[in-house]
Amino acid sequence: MHGPGARENINDTDERDQLLEKTSMDVDVEGNVDLEADREIDDQVKPAGWRSLFNFTSKSHTLPLSLALILSVASGIVIPVLAIFLGKVFDSFTDFGAGHISGSSLVEKVSVYGIALVGLGSASGLLNGGYFMLWLVFGELQAKSVRDRLFDGMLEKDMEWYDMRKAGIDALIPRLQTHIRELQMATSQPLGFVVQYAVTTIAALGLAFYTAWSLTLVTLAFVPISAVFLAWISARMQPSIDAQIVELTQASKLANNSISAIDTVKCFNGQDFEVWQYSTAVKRAATYYLTQAQANALQIGFVRIMTLGMFVQGFWYGSHLVDAGKKNPGQVLTAFWACLMATQAIEQILPQMIVLEKGRAAGATLKAIYIHMERGRRITRMVGRRTPAYCDGDIEVRKVSFAYPSRPEQLALNSATFFFPAGETTFVIGRSGSGKSTLGNLLMRFYTPASGDIFIDGNSIPTLDINWLRNNITLVQQQSILFNETIFKNIAFGRRDHSRVRKEEVKRSIETASLQHTVSDLPQGLETLVGVGGNSMSGGQKQRVAIARARLRDTPILILDEATSALDQISRSLVMDAIRDWRRGKTTIIITHDISQILQEDYAYIMDKGVIVQEGYRHALGNESPGPFGTLLQPIVEFTRPIEHEKSHDVKNVPSPQVAQSESLPSSKVSKNSMDIEYLPRRRYIPSVFGPLPDESRSRRPSKVLIPPLSPVACHMRPMSINTAVSFYPRRKLSQPIEPMDSLTPALLGSPDALEMSRSIGRDTLLSYRKRSKTEDMRSSRSARTSIEKTSIAPRLKHGVSEGTRKLREAEKRRRISPVNKILFTVWPTLTCRKRFVLLCGFLCAAIHAAATPVFSWVFSQLLATFFLTSSRSEMALKWSLSVLGVAIGDAIASYLMHYLLESCGQAWIDTLRVQAMKRILDQPRAWFDRDRNSLSRLTECLDRNAEEMRNLVGRFAGFVFVAVTMMMIAIVWSLIICWKLTLVGLASAPFLYALTRIFEAVSGKWEGKSNDAGEIAGSIFAETFSNIRTVRALTLEGYFHQKYAKATDNAMIVGLKRSAYSGFFFGLSDSGIVFVTALIFYYGAVLASSKAFTTQDILTVFTMLLFSIANANAIVAFIPQINSSRDTATRLLRLSTLPYKSSHEHTGNIRLSSPGPINFASLTFAYPSRPTHPVLSSFTLTLPSSTTTAIAGASGSGKSTIASLLLGLYPSPPQTLFLSSLDIRTLHLPTLRTLISIVPQSPTLFPATIAQNIAYALPEFSPLSSIANIRSAAQAAGIDDFIVSLSRGYDTPIGEGGTGLSGGQAQRIAIARAVARRPRLLVMDEATSGLDGESRRLIRETVMVLGKRGIGVLVITHEGEMMRGCEGVVVVGNRGVVEKGGFEELITRKDGELRRLLGGGL
């Protein structure tokens, strides 16, 4: 029972409260973490240590990690062992040169050592291949671990956490994917290399100390100082990495917002503005990266001078030891080789440092996010979570207060009290922003009230199991979210056992939603894909799918939150009739602005500013005048008056079909159809929640009748709450005083009486005229046409594993990885003249760096020759040692400049490509964004992660390859001059090494692409889940998406393991090849030396040159997997940066209009590019006079919004079919046209910025239109000014992602203000008032009239009669063309007219 009596009894519940305290058991709430403190935590991520790389390592990862470490250690020891053999080989050559052994003895000794080297090479290949494979496996395990943990953690977060993400959840998702990739990269082969080379360093130093400890100490005297210097530089890099992450997150957010709101960006000419914002953020990120690059280059240069410079003191002291007879030349050479290998190993570590530093930062960031999830606010847990066997549906909301976390200072509900009796339909109405939708959010437990209690069947909802609660309540919201599945699957999601839903059940549900004819018109019917977010369907079609889903779900409690606002009047009436019929005897809460839906016997709550200002039955509320309800009734009078005038004699006393039927029913039970649903008549007693009831008045319906027995599902939600400071665009200061202005608001213009208001009549007035059969009504909706993408649907498995595999294969066919040379050829054209000069300098320094190695080899051979001298050995050793120092200084400077300059050019390259890609993406025609490969998540990931990896091709790999090639060429030419025979033998092995390298590159490239594709699919599921988290939770689909994501990550893991096996095998072959070639060169060198064909010094010179050069070239092999990964990501980004620019239909015209003039559609036929065989408009002919207000009406999906899209040039119209001012739209300059036409879309798009910046979006900063006066004037015209000035920060108030913190009506009015602020010549309003209350609609209608009087044309696309009445003409669209047109009064009184039928007057 509703009414004051019920309310008086609410406080009489002490006994029940005591019982609740006893039955609540142990409530485990892990801390009500303060939001401000939480926001501070987000900005204080702990410095990343090396342990950050293992933040997500679990016990199951111990085995592969241990094996990888063991093999890395063994592989690292191989290199010092190689030094032992090299020392023995050189010792043999030294003895031969000094005449101590014969030529045959030399050959014999070197042959033995050569065989040992072959064995060592074989062992090296096995060890290197094994550790390479295992580290790749470990990286895959880390990626899967963090993916799974983040997914599980985010599933457990409450909505408050999502609302308070400072960059917005849609921008956070691609950044998380980037962090995961960076952590995976760091914990794969780069970490393995570091372990291997660290072991090599330690083992080599141990060998050096064992062989000649005093010589080793002298040689490495400056190493401790160097280590301190390197550690200091490394520590300085971390702040730059953190700052870069912040800027890249901002850039990702900007890209995400602009691409997701592409219609708004195009219609308001915001492309240049968005590109400028994005470019600015990217440049800031680049500044921080260059700081990292400079530090890394400094480290490399310093290690280079340390590596070569140690020979100054080392060789001088070594020659002294030989002279003193303390050491022989072989021991000295072994010690030197060991020291050289140790320092070279350190040098090999440094290029990996940036990768590891980024991995450390990523690991720390991911861990911080995960910890914040764990420590935040969780859903209340109970030891015995209550899952009642029955759900009657009694709902009591007692003195509840609540404020959204994004606006804590403003209460959405203020001590509000409701009672919704079981089995009854109750309405909640009120102005936009009055707190109506908040009620649904609290009942679904998306949020927790600040104070007060909510009870269902006497149970406090915090004590109820969350899944039980959501399986007994269905919430259908105005912005109906659909998933990227078929229509059948989207409807089947209504059931927990959605995999078992039969088509017959779905067909019954779509009949309730009047969706059957829309489905029958689709190419694949129920198996038609709806696209990402359901963007291939109209707003009305999406709402009807959501209603069909709710019908299949059929829970005891249903909440409809503006669930039919996008439907035309006739469809809305039919759907509401079907809903009333279906919901008879079940608790239903209808939140709406449409007063016509309320019958005389319906109970309604009227809300304003979070407070209930009036409540009662419709017939009683209508008699209370003046009152809030009477104010809300006024707007519906206008279009109903003609009907009342025509048939006033039979309006008052004809009950609605529902009322008549209910009166004729017996007071006990009624069975409808074959379903055992008990119908309880409206009860006139206080429910048991307020006290004991007579037994005969309480009849429980087992919940199993309405829904299968509920048991807790595996995944229990634990919402938590963490706040972060919200980041916004730089705000325009609004501190200047607001001057008096010529507002567009009718009241300010002195015309408050623009439209006459009369008394209201109930919705049953319309119902009394419904004489047509429901079958005929259904048939009339056949004119609805859809824009669903035509896609052939392959059979899908239960949770999309086969779908992921299919997408993987399609991705492989679509894309081929570009060769490196083709990618690098794009560098030069993208650079400025200054950067081109820098690039040339970088490669010049690379050439000097490359030449330094052969020069060093020659000088080194001269040092070796000093051991053959019998006199002046120390002086000559000092001479050549100083020569080495000169080479070291030159090489260090060249190495530093090479790395920094090339990194600088690489950063400039990707920055240019990023901006070019962004510019070209926003320039693409609207149809381009409907393709699956151009989904939002893929585009943002490409701009973010792919660009970061792509930079390495120039910054790191190009320099290395250039140095290796140059070094080899110099060494080969020099060696040919000195000893051509030995050089040719070495060159003979080149094809063998090249073949191994190419095979490794091809295999690695293939599997890198497959791995990236698999990861991309998993990422898209991640994005879909958390971008639509409200709907996922409302439908309790957490388990489905968890399983779907788990299978996608399992698939990515399987692909990754295969990649590891193939890459490891071929890496082992490639890496061991150098040892086999070394053995061959040594053997043939001994043969040549023994034959006296060349001197020993010449042979040693060639040895050092070839070995140093081949070793450096072979180091490139280790980078091949990273190079291939960069190639793959570069291919993806280059596709976007080379998209056609200014070549679409948007750039074909050049005529600039000053006014859109009369608009003429001349036999226009249009089909969406994705469905060319299904036209939406056919031979459409219509003339819209200039400066007039015209309404376009029609059934949902009839093509009304398509007309607006064509007028704004979002889609191309056929030639000579659409004229503005007698000019074909194809000849017009569209940017100019879009300054003349403003649109207010049905779904408002707001950006994460201040309210003022949203209203002045994309307007030039110094334009009068962006002035505070104009912004305020537009807000007053949209009826939102009073609300804005009531906020603590007024127009400077930031609003979150997509308008978070605002009600749907408030967001819509800001969108209206944005359109009006541009002072257009034509204003297009596409269902712009569907989310507004009656008073706001009245204000907008008066604004439309004022605009018309000013000579501004207004095109109103609407289903609402009162909006049509305020227009000069009405055009009714249906059957792909114009059905009728004329004045509103003329059409509404036309017998059997289409408009009359649409508005419910002709039934």
Side-chain angles (χ1 to χ4, degrees):
M1 174 180 177
H2 290 290
R7 214 186 259 191
E8 290 171 5
N9 284 271
I10 288 177
N11 296 322
D12 193 18
T13 55
D14 292 341
E15 185 177 342
R16 200 248 337 255
D17 287 343
Q18 294 174 4
L19 179 63
L20 279 175
E21 289 178 8
K22 293 178 181 179
T23 58
S24 293
M25 300 184 186
D26 300 323
V27 180
D28 176 23
V29 183
E30 295 192 10
N32 223 358
V33 180
D34 182 76
L35 298 180
E36 291 298 325
D38 218 13
R39 186 178 292 118
E40 292 176 6
I41 291 173
D42 274 350
D43 294 327
Q44 295 176 359
V45 177
K46 293 181 180 179
W50 288 110
R51 291 185 61 184
S52 300
L53 293 172
F54 305 98
N55 279 337
F56 295 90
T57 303
S58 63
K59 290 183 179 179
S60 60
H61 304 164
T62 305
L63 180 60
L65 177 60
S66 301
L67 291 175
L69 287 171
I70 291 171
L71 293 182
S72 296
V73 169
S75 180
I77 294 174
V78 167
I79 298 177
V81 173
L82 180 62
I84 296 175
F85 286 105
L86 292 178
K88 291 184 179 297
V89 169
F90 275 97
D91 195 20
S92 298
F93 275 95
T94 303
D95 288 342
F96 174 76
H100 296 157
I101 62 174
S102 64
S104 58
S105 298
L106 174 65
V107 173
E108 183 180 348
K109 283 188 175 184
V110 172
S111 297
V112 173
Y113 297 142
I115 293 172
L117 285 174
V118 170
L120 190 64
S122 300
S124 174
L126 291 174
L127 293 173
N128 285 335
Y131 96 79
F132 194 89
M133 177 188 71
L134 288 169
W135 280 113
L136 287 177
V137 168
F138 181 69
E140 292 289 344
L141 290 171
Q142 296 307 288
K144 179 166 174 55
S145 176
V146 67
R147 283 169 177 158
D148 291 345
R149 291 197 198 182
L150 284 179
F151 192 90
D152 293 343
M154 289 177 68
L155 274 183
E156 294 179 348
K157 295 305 298 177
D158 62 7
M159 293 310 304
E160 193 170 298
W161 185 85
Y162 289 91
D163 289 348
M164 295 307 295
R165 295 309 91 203
K166 60 183 178 181
I169 191 64
D170 284 338
L172 175 65
I173 289 170
R175 284 306 303 162
L176 288 178
Q177 300 300 325
T178 300
H179 289 323
I180 292 171
R181 178 64 176 175
E182 288 173 346
L183 180 62
Q184 180 183 0
M185 286 285 292
T187 54
S188 296
Q189 63 268 30
L191 184 57
F193 293 150
V194 169
V195 172
Q196 179 193 16
Y197 292 132
V199 171
T200 297
T201 301
I202 296 171
L205 290 177
L207 175 63
F209 277 105
Y210 176 78
T211 305
W213 65 268
S214 59
L215 176 61
T216 304
L217 286 176
V218 172
T219 303
L220 302 178
F222 292 104
V223 168
I225 299 174
S226 302
V228 172
F229 179 71
L230 293 174
W232 177 77
I233 294 177
S234 182
R236 300 279 294 179
M237 290 172 64
Q238 190 62 44
S240 296
I241 293 175
D242 296 336
Q244 185 200 14
I245 289 174
V246 171
E247 294 301 338
L248 286 177
T249 301
Q250 174 69 5
S252 180
K253 180 183 75 172
L254 293 172
N256 183 86
N257 291 335
S258 58
I259 296 172
S260 62
I262 188 61
D263 285 355
T264 301
V265 171
K266 284 181 174 291
C267 291
F268 289 89
N269 289 329
Q271 296 97 320
D272 290 343
F273 174 69
E274 294 293 344
V275 171
W276 172 79
Q277 286 192 115
Y278 181 74
S279 175
T280 303
V282 163
K283 288 177 180 177
R284 289 197 300 265
T287 301
Y288 293 112
Y289 180 78
L290 290 180
T291 302
Q292 303 167 40
Q294 189 174 32
N296 189 250
L298 190 60
Q299 286 179 320
I300 293 172
F302 188 79
V303 169
R304 196 70 183 168
I305 194 172
M306 182 186 72
T307 302
L308 301 182
M310 67 183 183
F311 287 93
V312 176
Q313 72 271 19
F315 256 95
W316 171 79
Y317 186 68
S319 62
H320 168 73
L321 291 177
V322 173
D323 287 341
K326 296 180 179 180
K327 297 293 179 184
N328 60 44
Q331 290 174 318
V332 172
L333 282 173
T334 298
F336 267 113
W337 275 112
C339 291
L340 184 61
M341 286 179 177
T343 53
Q344 281 185 331
I346 295 173
E347 192 176 5
Q348 291 293 331
I349 290 174
L350 293 180
Q352 310 293 343
M353 288 308 297
I354 286 186
V355 178
L356 293 177
E357 292 288 352
K358 283 184 172 292
R360 287 168 56 188
T365 302
L366 290 170
K367 188 66 173 181
I369 293 172
Y370 183 71
I371 290 175
H372 293 172
M373 290 178 186
E374 289 294 306
R375 66 192 290 181
R377 186 177 299 151
R378 299 170 180 269
I379 290 178
T380 304
R381 293 260 179 201
M382 296 183 60
V383 173
R385 292 180 299 274
R386 304 189 69 168
T387 56
Y390 302 93
C391 180
D392 278 345
D394 272 323
I395 302 174
E396 177 193 343
V397 179
R398 187 198 304 171
K399 294 183 178 180
V400 165
S401 295
F402 173 75
Y404 285 99
S406 55
R407 296 211 316 269
E409 75 285 350
Q410 184 174 0
L411 289 176
L413 287 180
N414 187 1
S415 193
T417 298
F418 302 84
F419 175 63
F420 303 100
E424 297 189 15
T425 297
T426 308
F427 285 80
V428 179
I429 57 178
R431 302 175 186 274
S432 301
S434 59
K436 305 184 301 299
S437 297
T438 302
L439 179 63
N441 289 330
L442 293 178
L443 287 174
M444 295 298 294
R445 262 179 71 181
F446 290 153
Y447 301 94
T448 303
S451 63
D453 297 297
I454 302 175
F455 300 92
I456 294 180
D457 293 342
N459 300 303
S460 178
I461 63 170
T463 68
L464 294 171
D465 177 80
I466 189 68
N467 291 294
W468 184 93
L469 179 75
R470 291 174 181 169
N471 276 305
N472 281 279
I473 302 178
T474 298
L475 173 63
V476 182
Q477 296 179 305
Q478 180 178 1
Q479 302 299 328
S480 303
I481 298 298
L482 303 183
F483 300 101
N484 190 20
E485 302 279 358
T486 64
I487 294 178
F488 175 84
K489 193 76 170 179
N490 271 284
I491 296 175
F493 279 148
R495 284 258 294 270
R496 289 180 60 195
D497 57 342
H498 48 80
S499 60
R500 300 180 181 178
V501 173
R502 301 188 308 273
K503 284 194 175 183
E504 292 72 20
E505 297 175 281
V506 171
K507 288 178 180 178
R508 287 198 296 270
S509 298
I510 66 175
E511 288 176 2
T512 300
S514 297
L515 193 63
Q516 61 269 41
H517 297 302
T518 298
V519 171
S520 65
D521 286 343
L522 298 176
Q524 287 84 31
L526 285 172
E527 295 302 319
T528 303
L529 278 174
V530 302
V532 178
N535 58 15
S536 295
M537 304 191 81
S538 70
Q541 289 164 346
K542 286 195 287 187
Q543 284 192 339
R544 284 188 281 178
V545 171
I547 291 171
R549 182 166 60 198
R551 176 64 182 90
L552 182 67
R553 193 171 178 81
D554 199 18
T555 52
I557 300 170
L558 173 68
I559 305 171
L560 299 176
D561 186 358
E562 298 287 359
T564 60
S565 61
L567 302 182
D568 59 87
Q569 187 67 33
I570 185 64
S571 297
R572 189 181 307 168
S573 300
L574 290 171
V575 170
M576 285 305 302
D577 284 347
I579 290 175
R580 283 182 180 273
D581 192 43
W582 154 42
R583 296 300 300 175
R584 188 176 300 136
K586 301 174 187 176
T587 306
T588 307
I589 302 172
I590 301 178
I591 300 168
T592 183
H593 293 125
D594 186 4
I595 311 298
S596 66
Q597 296 180 11
I598 308 177
L599 304 183
Q600 292 296 321
E601 294 300 315
D602 286 333
Y603 199 89
Y605 289 95
I606 295 90
M607 299 188 65
D608 186 35
K609 297 180 180 178
V611 178
I612 299 173
V613 293
Q614 194 176 9
E615 63 176 292
Y617 292 97
R618 163 72 185 265
H619 60 78
L621 292 174
N623 295 329
E624 298 180 17
S625 181
F629 185 74
T631 303
L632 293 171
L633 282 177
Q634 291 177 356
I636 69 168
V637 175
E638 303 299 338
F639 75 90
T640 59
R641 194 195 299 178
I643 305 169
E644 182 182 10
H645 174 74
E646 181 183 346
K647 294 194 177 184
S648 59
H649 61 279
D650 61 354
V651 167
K652 297 181 180 178
N653 300 319
V654 179
S656 69
Q658 286 81 359
V659 174
Q661 186 178 5
S662 65
E663 289 174 354
S664 65
L665 289 172
S667 60
S668 56
K669 302 176 184 179
V670 174
S671 177
K672 179 171 174 61
N673 299 334
S674 62
M675 299 176 66
D676 297 329
I677 301 177
E678 298 179 352
Y679 166 64
L680 300 181
R682 184 175 297 275
R683 292 179 292 181
R684 303 294 182 185
Y685 54 79
I686 300 172
S688 63
V689 71
F690 302 130
L693 295 175
D695 292 340
E696 64 272 13
S697 64
R698 187 74 169 177
S699 177
R700 288 191 177 272
R701 295 188 311 276
S703 59
K704 65 181 180 180
V705 174
L706 300 171
I707 191 169
L710 301 178
S711 60
V713 297
C715 181
H716 297 290
M717 295 298 94
R718 297 181 295 163
M720 298 170 276
S721 178
I722 296 176
N723 286 346
T724 65
V726 183
S727 171
F728 299 98
Y729 303 154
R731 297 193 296 274
R732 182 183 288 105
K733 296 298 182 183
L734 297 178
S735 57
Q736 62 193 82
I738 304 296
E739 300 177 357
M741 63 203 74
D742 181 17
S743 174
L744 295 172
T745 309
L748 295 180
L749 292 173
S751 57
D753 300 323
L755 293 175
E756 180 183 357
M757 299 295 176
S758 61
R759 66 183 182 85
S760 171
I761 61 174
R763 182 173 178 272
D764 45 1
T765 303
L766 298 177
L767 294 174
S768 64
Y769 292 96
R770 292 183 179 167
K771 298 179 181 178
R772 265 184 222 171
S773 68
K774 196 168 285 188
T775 303
E776 291 174 345
D777 294 336
M778 298 293 187
R779 188 180 300 117
S780 68
S781 67
R782 282 188 182 273
S783 59
R785 289 295 181 264
T786 181
S787 60
I788 297 292
E789 180 178 359
K790 184 178 181 181
T791 310
S792 58
I793 309 298
R796 294 170 173 234
L797 292 184
K798 182 187 284 188
H799 292 292
V801 184
S802 62
E803 179 67 14
T805 305
R806 181 181 65 81
K807 289 182 178 179
L808 245 174
R809 290 171 181 166
E810 288 179 357
E812 288 178 33
K813 292 178 182 177
R814 272 200 312 263
R815 174 186 48 77
R816 292 289 180 267
I817 301 178
S818 299
V820 174
N821 58 348
K822 183 179 179 181
I823 295 172
L824 294 179
F825 283 155
T826 66
V827 176
W828 186 263
T830 60
L831 299 180
T832 62
C833 292
R834 179 175 173 274
K835 284 296 180 182
R836 289 177 181 177
F837 176 75
V838 170
L839 181 66
L840 292 175
C841 290
F843 278 104
L844 176 62
C845 292
I848 296 173
H849 174 55
T853 298
V855 171
F856 168 78
S857 301
W858 180 78
V859 175
F860 184 61
S861 66
Q862 302 305 310
L863 274 173
L864 293 179
T866 60
F867 289 113
F868 309 147
L869 301 177
T870 57
S871 61
S872 304
R873 179 179 291 150
S874 297
E875 292 80 359
M876 294 301 295
L878 180 60
K879 169 187 173 183
W880 291 112
S881 295
L882 291 175
S883 300
V884 168
L885 180 61
V887 173
I889 294 173
D891 187 30
I893 295 173
S895 180
Y896 163 77
L897 291 174
M898 177 194 79
H899 284 91
Y900 178 67
L901 296 180
L902 290 182
E903 286 280 14
S904 173
C905 291
Q907 185 65 49
W909 176 46
I910 67 160
D911 286 348
T912 302
L913 291 180
R914 269 175 164 155
V915 175
Q916 281 291 326
M918 187 68 176
K919 182 192 299 183
R920 291 170 184 267
I921 287 171
L922 298 182
D923 184 66
Q924 297 308 296
R926 180 61 183 81
W928 184 84
F929 295 89
D930 296 333
R931 301 170 191 164
D932 186 55
R933 71 183 304 199
N934 301 325
S935 65
L936 175 63
S937 60
R938 292 184 177 183
L939 293 176
T940 51
E941 182 181 8
C942 197
L943 291 170
D944 189 2
R945 176 178 72 82
N946 292 358
E948 288 296 292
E949 287 191 33
M950 179 181 179
R951 177 187 51 233
N952 293 333
L953 287 176
V954 172
R956 295 171 61 197
F957 307 136
F960 289 151
V961 172
F962 178 80
V963 167
V965 171
T966 305
M967 189 185 301
M968 285 297 297
M969 291 177 62
I970 295 174
I972 289 170
V973 173
W974 202 334
S975 298
L976 284 172
I977 296 173
I978 297 173
C979 182
W980 63 271
K981 286 186 177 183
L982 182 59
T983 306
L984 288 179
V985 170
L987 289 178
S989 62
F992 168 71
L993 294 177
Y994 179 77
L996 288 177
T997 304
R998 292 294 293 175
I999 293 173
F1000 178 42
E1001 180 185 5
V1003 171
S1004 175
K1006 175 184 176 181
W1007 285 98
E1008 281 290 339
K1010 286 186 175 184
S1011 183
N1012 285 339
D1013 288 336
E1016 194 175 74
I1017 291 171
S1020 65
I1021 297 173
F1022 189 97
E1024 183 178 30
T1025 303
F1026 295 110
S1027 295
N1028 306 315
I1029 187 63
R1030 285 178 188 269
T1031 305
V1032 169
R1033 287 187 173 165
L1035 297 174
T1036 59
L1037 289 174
E1038 295 95 340
Y1040 168 79
F1041 279 99
H1042 186 276
Q1043 188 172 358
K1044 183 177 181 180
Y1045 184 70
K1047 291 194 174 183
T1049 55
D1050 286 344
N1051 185 48
M1053 182 70 184
I1054 292 170
V1055 173
L1057 292 178
K1058 291 180 179 178
R1059 174 181 72 111
S1060 304
Y1062 287 114
S1063 297
F1065 176 75
F1066 286 102
F1067 173 75
L1069 285 180
S1070 301
D1071 196 64
S1072 61
I1074 182 68
V1075 183
F1076 301 144
V1077 174
T1078 301
L1080 175 64
I1081 292 175
F1082 279 157
Y1083 173 75
Y1084 190 67
V1087 172
L1088 290 178
S1090 65
S1091 65
K1092 306 291 185 178
F1094 297 93
T1095 66
T1096 303
Q1097 183 176 347
D1098 291 340
I1099 291 174
L1100 290 177
T1101 301
V1102 173
F1103 274 168
T1104 54
M1105 283 188 180
L1106 290 181
L1107 291 181
F1108 271 100
S1109 300
I1110 293 175
N1112 280 278
N1114 191 62
I1116 301 298
V1117 173
F1119 290 112
I1120 285 179
Q1122 296 178 53
I1123 292 174
N1124 283 324
S1125 180
S1126 297
R1127 281 175 55 210
D1128 183 64
T1129 54
T1131 302
R1132 297 166 191 256
L1133 182 57
L1134 285 173
R1135 178 183 78 87
L1136 299 179
S1137 65
T1138 55
L1139 288 170
Y1141 184 60
K1142 293 190 175 181
S1143 62
S1144 70
H1145 72 281
E1146 297 184 8
H1147 302 281
T1148 55
N1150 54 17
I1151 300 176
R1152 300 173 186 264
L1153 290 179
S1154 58
S1155 172
I1159 299 171
N1160 182 30
F1161 293 86
S1163 298
L1164 184 147
T1165 298
F1166 173 78
Y1168 285 97
S1170 57
R1171 295 186 61 224
T1173 59
H1174 291 73
V1176 180
L1177 300 174
S1178 180
S1179 299
F1180 184 82
T1181 300
L1182 175 66
T1183 298
L1184 300 174
S1186 59
S1187 305
T1188 59
T1189 56
T1190 305
I1192 295 183
S1196 300
S1198 59
K1200 305 184 300 298
S1201 297
T1202 301
I1203 295 172
S1205 297
L1206 293 173
L1207 277 177
L1208 284 155
L1210 293 178
Y1211 293 93
S1213 57
Q1216 302 297 313
T1217 56
L1218 177 54
F1219 299 89
L1220 289 86
S1221 295
S1222 301
L1223 296 172
D1224 190 342
I1225 192 173
R1226 299 168 71 94
T1227 66
L1228 301 180
H1229 186 248
L1230 281 184
T1232 300
L1233 179 65
R1234 289 170 179 168
T1235 62
L1236 303 175
I1237 304 177
S1238 285
I1239 186 170
V1240 183
Q1242 181 176 353
S1243 300
T1245 300
L1246 301 182
F1247 298 94
T1250 65
I1251 293 175
Q1253 288 165 348
N1254 269 282
I1255 294 176
Y1257 174 73
L1259 289 172
E1261 186 174 359
F1262 301 105
S1263 167
L1265 296 180
S1266 61
S1267 66
I1268 306 307
N1270 188 59
I1271 292 172
R1272 181 95 183 255
S1273 175
Q1276 289 170 339
I1280 193 67
D1281 178 68
D1282 290 342
F1283 165 74
I1284 296 173
V1285 296
S1286 71
L1287 300 174
S1288 59
R1289 298 175 63 180
Y1291 282 81
D1292 274 336
T1293 301
I1295 51 181
E1297 177 187 20
T1300 300
L1302 300 178
S1303 71
Q1306 291 163 346
Q1308 187 66 281
R1309 282 184 282 176
I1310 290 178
I1312 293 172
R1314 177 172 57 202
V1316 173
R1318 303 172 72 84
R1319 303 295 172 101
R1321 303 304 303 164
L1322 174 64
L1323 177 64
V1324 180
M1325 306 183 73
D1326 186 0
E1327 295 288 356
T1329 59
S1330 62
L1332 302 183
D1333 57 83
E1335 179 63 21
S1336 298
R1337 290 201 300 267
R1338 181 191 64 78
L1339 181 61
I1340 299 304
R1341 186 179 64 208
E1342 292 178 359
T1343 299
V1344 169
M1345 295 178 64
V1346 172
L1347 291 173
K1349 291 177 182 179
R1350 290 186 173 186
I1352 298 174
V1354 183
L1355 184 63
V1356 181
I1357 298 171
T1358 184
H1359 293 132
E1360 299 171 2
E1362 68 267 22
M1363 287 299 296
M1364 300 179 198
R1365 185 174 180 82
C1367 298
E1368 298 172 54
V1370 178
V1371 177
V1372 182
V1373 179
N1375 294 320
R1376 309 180 192 176
V1378 175
V1379 178
E1380 62 181 6
K1381 59 183 178 179
F1384 178 79
E1385 298 289 348
E1386 172 194 351
L1387 297 181
I1388 198 65
T1389 56
R1390 181 179 294 175
K1391 189 176 182 180
D1392 297 327
E1394 182 67 14
L1395 180 64
R1396 182 181 177 84
R1397 189 187 69 80
L1398 285 172
L1399 295 180
L1403 296 177

